[in-house]
Amino acid sequence: MEPGAAPQLASQQDTQRNFICGVIEGFYGRPWTTEQRKGLFRKLKFMGMDSYMYAPKDDYKHRAYWRELYTVEEADHLSSLIAAAKEAGIAFYYALSPGLDMTYSSPKEIATLKRKLDQVSQFGCEAYALLFDDIESELSKVDKEVFQTFANAHVSVTNEIFTHLGSPKFLFCPTQYCGTRAVPTVQESEYLNTLGSKLNTDIDILWTGDKVISKTISIESIQEITEVLRRPPCIWDNLHANDYDQKRVFLGPYTGRSPELIPHLRGVMTNPNCEFYANFIAIHSLASWSRCSMDSKMNSSLSSDIKLETENEDEMPTEFLSKNVYHPRVALKNAISDWLPEFFVEKEAWGPITKPQPQVQMVMPIIPIIPSINTCMSLTTTTTTSTNTRTVPEVNTTQLQALADVCSTVSSSMTPISNPVMNSLVSPTKVVTNDDIINPIPSTAACNIELPKKIPISIVPVPIMEAKSAEAESVGLNLGNQIYESIASRGNPSAELEIETKDQVLDATLEEEKQVLELETEPVASLSVDTMLDDTSLSPLSGGGNEPMECSSSIASQVSPKEEEIIKLVTDDVLMESVNDVHSMHVESTTSSPLSNTEMREHDHETTMEASKITTEDLGLLCDLFYLPFEHGSRALKLLEEFHWLKTNANVMLKERCVASKIPKPEVSEWLQRCENFDVLCGSVGELLIKIANCQNKEICHELYSYVWDISGALSLLNCYIKWLALGQFPPNMSSYTEGSYTWFSKGWKEAFMSGDQEPWVFRGGLIADLQRLMPVDSGNDLFVYKLPEQPTANYYLLRPYRNADELDVINICTRTYLQWHSGLEGAEHIHIDYPLPASVANIVADAIVGPYITLNPQLCIVAYDESGALVGYACAALDVTVFRRNMQMCWMAELREKYPKIPIPTLDADVDDSSVQLNKLIAHFMDQFHNSYDEVQECPVEVSGSFPAVLTAATLKEAEDRDSGITKRILTVLLAALRANGCFGVHVCVPDQDPGQLSFYTKIGFVEVFREERSKCIYLGRRF
């Protein structure tokens, strides 16, 4: 046959075969269960799709133990799957991945492969696949004696198996499965050309596009690979794959591929999220796409018509729902409508919440911050604090490319972990992990990550203006329980937001998308903006790991702590202790009613339950937060933009505090209004978390809850920081201190993210990481490593600045935690003091520990509160320990000496209970502290104050930490950001060396010992940020 005739013949054959459209279960990590797969077959049938490929990378006998035959029990499950697929009219492709350790030239290996597939054929299977992705591309010494090239080995084995099975439906995944993997190029690849010329033409070849995860797939690129392979490819689409990042799940519509591709393809199969229930939109929108022949984006007049007709209507006119036109946003709206009922199907879920993605253990190098204020470097010589333009240099990325190489290859810097051997074919409803069986195949690492030749580096001009102290002043802004109150207004049609929140959903069209792009690229503010490049706490390349066809991820891999002590401290911080209570939110009625009390309670309960049900608007917000690998949804962008605008323009609040006029200026009113809108938008995410926790389908809840919990935690930080900025307690040159490294607003960063030029694992963490990076804390990666809740809970904590009315609550928390820390710590003697303390000394502990902070520096205090508004924790600080100690001695200690006069502590009889004895010791300890340093100010050692000038105290109720072990870290993060806004980059705590309770508390939140003072028997713990 002439070479040029092959594509034509293949095209003629394809016209007689159906377009393949379906799902590949081809990800790394925990496989789906038997029952989930059967449910998938029914969905595929309903959506008009026709194919499913069984290829879970970490299932027991698919890859690691591919030679082993199935047991009777496993055979029953696999047979039932194949039968269920047939019943639904779905082609069940059984795939094997033997390439990791197969000797291609061995007749014994070929016989083993045939025997395995023959067994599966006896179960009724009629379609197969051989996958040679993510393997070494070098032949073994034995194989080199038989095969001339790697491609010849693959062709030989595959053709022989295909013939042996009777030429069934057959898919083949090459080692060079995308454009960036082709060596040297697609057209010049010896491997791909050999496949095209020698692989049986009835075998379909899988292809992922230009990249492993391709943002777009063009007709031109498909024509190119078709010419090389001499047949149209079947797309293995990783657009929705998330097994490379534990912080991302993709709920956006199928996009970036015009339906005009369909005549040029053999088929499209999506390899979606690891979470089974998170894939409804990915599959539904792909099914919609497969029925179309034209992309609406190609017709601007049609797009504007759709916008015009649907802006104020829930129903789409039938003329715009043509089967031939595909619009991603319309497909998303339709998918959400069909997805919503699944949330109300009552299903139980057992066990703790666990991430399905595999893990890889890493020790990552640190991305250099060039320069940052804490590096004492600058690229400029002179500046002023009112500069409106700053030079943002673009530097060569040699260092960053080296980091990417470390992120993407197995080396001494990364320790690959063998994923646990999992078996999804022994139980209908769960995947069984067998720890007794060793997985001989470690997770394959990603490779070939490329970076742009130049990446902009944020700079901080110098010199830094000296910060002036500022007094706390109340601002006319609601800093209260916005989230908890927002549910009550759910049914109020007049409760509309000025920003696009709950009521802006799915009717968004191309015009709206265009506005979003304009929002990204144009200044948001009408104010004069001193452009800021926020610093980051998570390095943009801080994670490495495996790709979607070769993926691994871990929470630990997303942090790059600077001290080994911190690394050690956070390694245990991966799973959260059990939180079992799942409660619905109860909101009291605010209106009078003629109903009886009982009827009112029933009515309120029904109203609350109705308001707590998830809606299409809620799902629209959920999809916006977790959109696509190269794109954030509109409300996700709104969160980023609004925070950046508020932070950049916060100086108007400083001026307002100084002027203290009764009528705020327009720019102040604008700032306060946008602050309130941002609070509402953050509240809608918190409300979404509560609704997901309360949804009836607990399987969906378990899969999605941790993602929304992460987002809610990040937003609680940002929202609290904005509320702190509203107080105006920062210097005019704050922007000089809060600039650092990469954020969404760094020059070229979002453009690189959205371009699709990089694989998405380069930008690990998605929106969660983008939000966290906006918090101005360097060297704070460990602050964002939290233990996940084991169970979904509607009870979670929010943050806000301290108010005067909080004094009693803070005092009580301080006293309770101090007594808890000292319970049972005096050698073998058990210490127990009843709480509350006697009235005369009820506040003596708090007066000594936290009193001077909330009295002298209330503007540097952050508190956490629960759904009822009750405080559960606090963190307070002072900028300069020397000044603070002097003021405390002059003002605070004098007041305490008067409040607690020095009187002899009576000696108690031997028969007095132990609690009273311990109470007397406690009182005597603090009385000595108040009176023995009458004229003396205890100096902080210069070894401490030089690098850690700020001093801090914090406490969180034990029951709050049991429910949310990350709450103290979140409080601390906001306080450190406030300190940094005031030009401080190091903080310490002073703990008695005989106080292991406090030592443990501060060590867990990242403090390390920096100095030990023998005279006072104190240990100084510090941390940079």
Side-chain angles (χ1 to χ4, degrees):
M1 181 186 297
E2 293 294 328
Q8 183 178 358
L9 176 59
S11 178
Q12 292 172 355
Q13 291 172 339
D14 289 328
T15 59
Q16 302 172 4
R17 295 191 287 176
N18 293 330
F19 183 82
I20 299 172
C21 190
V23 173
I24 300 173
E25 185 184 346
F27 48 80
Y28 288 81
R30 186 176 65 234
W32 297 333
T33 67
T34 297
E35 288 305 310
Q36 287 175 336
R37 290 163 181 153
K38 291 179 179 179
L40 174 64
F41 301 154
R42 293 189 291 271
K43 286 187 177 74
L44 294 179
K45 178 182 179 180
F46 175 77
M47 296 176 189
M49 304 172 86
D50 62 8
S51 300
Y52 162 82
M53 182 193 293
Y54 169 86
K57 287 288 193 293
D58 290 313
D59 216 350
Y60 182 18
K61 295 178 180 178
H62 164 73
R63 194 165 184 251
Y65 289 85
W66 64 269
R67 297 174 180 84
E68 293 195 14
L69 297 177
Y70 290 106
T71 64
V72 173
E73 183 182 17
E74 294 165 344
D76 286 343
H77 280 275
L78 192 52
S79 298
S80 69
L81 279 176
I82 294 170
K86 282 185 179 179
E87 183 179 348
I90 304 300
F92 185 100
Y93 285 86
Y94 175 82
L96 273 184
S97 296
L100 284 164
D101 58 351
M102 182 180 184
T103 303
Y104 303 107
S105 59
S106 168
K108 183 179 179 180
E109 292 279 72
I110 300 296
T112 299
L113 184 55
K114 289 178 180 178
R115 186 178 71 228
K116 178 69 169 282
L117 295 175
D118 283 341
Q119 184 192 30
V120 176
S121 70
Q122 293 173 7
F123 303 155
C125 186
E126 298 174 347
Y128 302 89
L130 283 182
L131 311 181
F132 293 102
D133 55 312
D134 306 339
I135 60 175
E136 292 295 333
S137 57
E138 285 292 323
L139 289 172
S140 67
K141 184 177 180 180
V142 175
D143 286 334
K144 284 181 179 179
E145 296 176 358
V146 178
F147 298 111
Q148 189 175 8
T149 66
F150 196 55
N152 284 321
H154 285 178
V155 166
S156 174
V157 171
T158 305
N159 283 344
E160 184 171 348
I161 294 298
F162 178 70
T163 303
H164 172 78
L165 293 172
S167 303
K169 292 181 179 178
F170 207 98
L171 290 168
F172 172 86
C173 184
T175 304
Q176 297 179 18
Y177 52 76
C178 65
T180 55
R181 296 286 172 113
V183 180
T185 65
V186 171
Q187 289 185 333
E188 298 175 0
S189 168
E190 179 274 332
Y191 178 87
L192 293 175
N193 277 283
T194 300
L195 294 181
S197 61
K198 295 184 177 181
L199 192 67
N200 192 300
T201 56
D202 288 331
I203 296 175
D204 296 310
I205 301 178
L206 295 161
W207 184 253
T208 67
D210 291 337
K211 290 182 168 51
V212 178
I213 302 175
S214 301
K215 181 180 181 182
T216 60
I217 299 178
S218 66
I219 293 177
E220 293 75 18
S221 68
I222 294 302
Q223 289 174 336
E224 179 185 43
I225 189 61
T226 298
E227 181 180 353
V228 172
L229 297 179
R230 305 188 183 189
R231 72 203 78 194
C234 179
I235 298 298
W236 171 313
D237 209 322
N238 287 314
L239 182 66
H240 288 87
N242 75 330
D243 51 356
Y244 55 91
D245 196 335
Q246 288 191 334
K247 297 295 183 182
R248 307 188 74 182
V249 61
F250 300 112
L251 306 178
Y254 193 70
T255 189
R257 297 100 170 94
S258 170
E260 295 177 10
L261 279 170
I262 292 175
H264 301 272
L265 296 173
R266 179 68 184 91
V268 176
M269 299 184 76
T270 179
N271 176 41
N273 298 286
C274 299
E275 293 82 2
F276 175 79
Y277 288 100
N279 291 316
F280 190 95
I281 290 171
I283 298 170
H284 191 287
S285 57
L286 172 60
S288 300
W289 176 89
S290 69
R291 295 190 293 269
C292 299
S293 61
M294 185 173 68
D295 190 342
S296 64
K297 292 184 178 181
M298 304 299 293
N299 190 330
S300 58
S301 61
L302 176 61
S303 298
S304 60
D305 288 342
I306 291 177
K307 176 177 172 58
L308 182 64
E309 295 291 337
T310 61
E311 272 185 332
N312 300 312
E313 296 182 18
D314 294 330
E315 298 275 336
M316 280 288 291
T318 55
E319 59 267 28
F320 296 123
L321 289 176
S322 169
K323 294 181 180 180
N324 297 325
V325 178
Y326 180 76
H327 191 296
R329 295 293 295 182
V330 174
L332 176 61
K333 178 181 179 180
N334 293 337
I336 286 176
S337 297
D338 289 345
W339 190 24
L340 181 64
E342 290 200 4
F343 285 79
F344 300 97
V345 177
E346 291 193 12
K347 288 188 177 182
E348 293 300 322
W350 291 272
I353 296 174
T354 56
K355 291 285 190 178
Q357 296 95 333
Q359 297 189 7
V360 68
Q361 198 171 29
M362 290 188 181
V363 179
M364 298 301 303
I366 300 167
I367 287 190
I369 300 173
I370 309 176
S372 176
I373 183 63
N374 59 331
T375 64
C376 302
M377 295 189 294
S378 176
L379 299 182
T380 57
T381 54
T382 58
T383 186
T384 65
T385 56
S386 59
T387 305
N388 287 326
T389 59
R390 293 191 176 98
T391 303
V392 181
E394 292 183 337
V395 300
N396 188 284
T397 58
T398 303
Q399 290 176 298
L400 297 177
Q401 183 61 59
L403 175 59
D405 293 340
V406 173
C407 291
S408 58
T409 58
V410 177
S411 70
S412 58
S413 296
M414 181 170 68
T415 306
I417 303 173
S418 293
N419 298 326
V421 171
M422 290 174 277
N423 197 334
S424 65
L425 297 175
V426 292
S427 171
T429 58
K430 59 185 178 181
V431 175
V432 177
T433 300
N434 193 334
D435 296 325
D436 296 330
I437 302 176
I438 299 174
N439 188 345
I441 310 300
S443 300
T444 309
C447 58
N448 298 335
I449 295 180
E450 297 178 355
L451 292 175
K453 292 182 179 180
K454 291 186 177 182
I455 289 183
I457 302 294
S458 307
I459 68 166
V460 180
V462 292
I464 301 300
M465 300 291 289
E466 183 174 341
K468 296 181 179 179
S469 61
E471 297 179 358
E473 184 168 332
S474 175
V475 178
L477 179 68
N478 177 20
L479 304 179
N481 308 8
Q482 180 64 47
I483 290 181
Y484 302 111
E485 295 167 359
S486 63
I487 297 182
S489 63
R490 177 51 118 172
N492 183 0
S494 64
E496 297 179 356
L497 308 180
E498 290 191 21
I499 56 176
E500 300 170 18
T501 59
K502 293 177 284 190
D503 299 320
Q504 172 229 354
V505 202
L506 311 151
D507 299 318
T509 57
L510 292 175
E511 184 65 23
E512 291 171 317
E513 293 167 0
K514 178 181 177 183
Q515 292 173 357
V516 170
L517 285 175
E518 292 174 350
L519 182 66
E520 294 178 11
T521 55
E522 296 179 5
V524 187
S526 59
L527 302 174
S528 174
V529 179
D530 189 7
T531 305
M532 296 171 57
L533 299 177
D534 301 317
D535 71 314
T536 179
S537 57
L538 285 176
S539 59
L541 299 176
S542 62
N546 299 337
E547 306 178 0
M549 294 187 76
E550 48 175 41
C551 311
S552 283
S553 177
S554 77
I555 296 177
S557 68
Q558 299 183 39
V559 282
S560 303
K562 290 185 178 179
E563 291 98 2
E564 292 183 4
E565 293 92 333
I566 300 298
I567 298 175
K568 180 180 179 182
L569 290 171
V570 302
T571 51
D572 297 329
D573 214 9
V574 179
L575 295 175
M576 190 176 189
E577 296 179 9
S578 180
V579 183
N580 296 315
D581 51 333
V582 179
H583 303 292
S584 59
M585 182 60 57
H586 298 281
V587 181
E588 296 183 2
S589 173
T590 57
T591 58
S592 60
S593 170
L595 300 176
S596 67
N597 290 339
T598 302
E599 290 173 326
M600 287 177 64
R601 284 194 296 269
E602 292 176 353
H603 175 73
D604 289 346
H605 179 73
E606 291 174 2
T607 302
T608 301
M609 293 303 294
E610 188 65 30
S612 66
K613 288 183 178 179
I614 201 161
T615 66
T616 54
E617 288 84 358
D618 296 317
L619 294 186
L621 173 60
L622 178 66
C623 295
D624 274 351
L625 297 176
F626 302 96
Y627 204 63
L628 289 170
F630 306 98
E631 184 179 358
H632 295 319
S634 58
R635 275 166 288 188
L637 291 172
K638 192 74 175 178
L639 286 165
L640 293 167
E641 294 285 352
E642 286 300 300
F643 176 85
H644 182 65
W645 186 93
L646 288 164
K647 181 170 175 282
T648 303
N649 293 285
N651 273 7
V652 302
M653 300 308 298
L654 186 63
K655 297 174 184 176
E656 173 69 7
R657 189 180 62 83
C658 295
V659 175
S661 61
K662 293 183 179 180
I663 302 177
K665 295 181 179 180
E667 58 267 29
V668 175
S669 298
E670 180 186 9
W671 196 96
L672 290 173
Q673 182 61 59
R674 293 179 74 157
C675 177
E676 182 179 345
N677 291 341
F678 182 73
D679 185 44
V680 172
L681 186 52
C682 292
S684 67
V685 177
E687 184 180 339
L688 174 65
L689 179 70
I690 294 171
K691 291 185 175 184
I692 289 178
N694 289 330
C695 83
Q696 293 164 280
N697 191 328
K698 295 305 177 186
E699 290 190 15
I700 295 181
C701 174
H702 268 236
E703 290 193 345
L704 296 179
Y705 181 84
S706 63
Y707 291 102
V708 185
W709 184 84
D710 264 335
I711 287 280
S712 297
L715 289 176
S716 71
L717 302 176
L718 299 181
N719 200 16
C720 183
Y721 184 65
I722 291 299
K723 290 176 180 179
W724 180 82
L725 289 177
L727 302 177
Q729 299 290 340
F730 51 86
N733 62 331
M734 176 187 69
S735 62
S736 299
Y737 301 126
T738 56
E739 293 177 357
S741 50
Y742 297 99
T743 74
W744 181 256
F745 301 96
S746 299
K747 183 180 178 182
W749 183 251
K750 65 184 173 185
E751 290 79 9
F753 173 85
M754 298 176 65
S755 68
D757 293 340
Q758 310 300 317
E759 297 284 7
W761 52 82
V762 172
F763 306 89
R764 288 178 62 84
L767 179 64
I768 294 170
D770 282 332
L771 292 171
Q772 290 174 345
R773 278 191 283 265
L774 292 176
M775 286 299 291
V777 284
D778 280 346
S779 306
N781 295 343
D782 62 294
L783 294 173
F784 299 110
V785 180
Y786 311 128
K787 293 179 181 178
L788 290 176
E790 289 191 349
Q791 299 293 332
T793 173
N795 302 320
Y796 72 107
Y797 304 113
L798 294 176
L799 312 175
R800 61 169 172 80
Y802 170 84
R803 298 185 294 221
N804 291 334
D806 299 327
E807 180 178 1
L808 183 58
D809 286 337
V810 169
I811 287 173
N812 290 336
I813 292 170
C814 179
T815 304
R816 287 176 60 186
T817 53
Y818 182 87
L819 296 180
Q820 288 171 356
W821 287 338
H822 290 77
S823 177
L825 293 179
E826 193 172 293
E829 180 183 355
H830 181 75
I831 297 177
H832 174 74
I833 301 175
D834 293 331
Y835 176 84
L837 302 180
S840 60
V841 291
N843 299 340
I844 192 169
V845 173
D847 284 342
I849 296 175
V850 75
Y853 291 90
I854 60 177
T855 302
L856 303 174
N857 297 279
Q859 73 277 12
L860 289 175
C861 182
I862 304 298
V863 298
Y865 61 97
D866 62 17
E867 62 275 11
S868 68
L871 299 195
V872 298
Y874 67 85
C876 306
L879 281 170
D880 188 321
V881 63
T882 303
V883 174
F884 175 70
R885 287 189 177 185
R886 183 174 64 246
N887 291 340
M888 183 175 68
Q889 183 65 34
M890 294 172 57
C891 304
W892 184 248
M893 297 303 289
E895 184 175 332
L896 292 187
R897 284 189 285 270
E898 182 177 341
K899 182 177 180 180
Y900 303 103
K902 190 171 185 179
I903 57 176
I905 305 297
T907 303
L908 300 177
D909 297 334
D911 59 347
V912 175
D913 66 277
D914 184 65
S915 177
S916 298
V917 174
Q918 298 301 333
L919 175 61
N920 272 7
K921 288 183 179 180
L922 178 92
I923 295 172
H925 167 73
F926 285 112
M927 294 285 278
D928 288 343
Q929 184 177 321
F930 300 156
H931 290 274
N932 288 351
S933 57
Y934 192 88
D935 295 320
E936 147 186 7
V937 177
Q938 185 179 358
E939 297 292 337
C940 178
V942 294
E943 294 89 344
V944 177
S945 59
S947 299
F948 308 95
V951 61
L952 172 148
T953 186
T956 306
L957 294 178
K958 184 179 184 302
E959 51 268 35
E961 285 195 311
D962 290 342
R963 281 172 50 178
D964 181 356
S965 64
I967 183 60
T968 308
K969 283 187 176 181
R970 292 200 291 276
I971 302 172
L972 178 64
T973 302
V974 180
L975 183 59
L976 296 184
L979 289 173
R980 177 158 180 158
N982 281 276
C984 179
F985 302 93
V987 65
H988 74 270
V989 294
C990 180
V991 181
D993 59 6
Q994 297 299 318
D995 195 339
Q998 284 197 68
L999 285 172
S1000 173
F1001 174 81
Y1002 288 111
T1003 300
K1004 286 179 180 178
I1005 55 176
F1007 284 81
V1008 295
E1009 182 176 336
V1010 295
F1011 188 79
R1012 187 179 291 259
E1013 191 174 51
E1014 295 299 331
R1015 180 178 62 86
S1016 61
K1017 298 188 181 301
C1018 285
I1019 299 174
Y1020 287 86
L1021 306 174
R1023 70 166 297 150
R1024 301 284 295 177
F1025 51 92

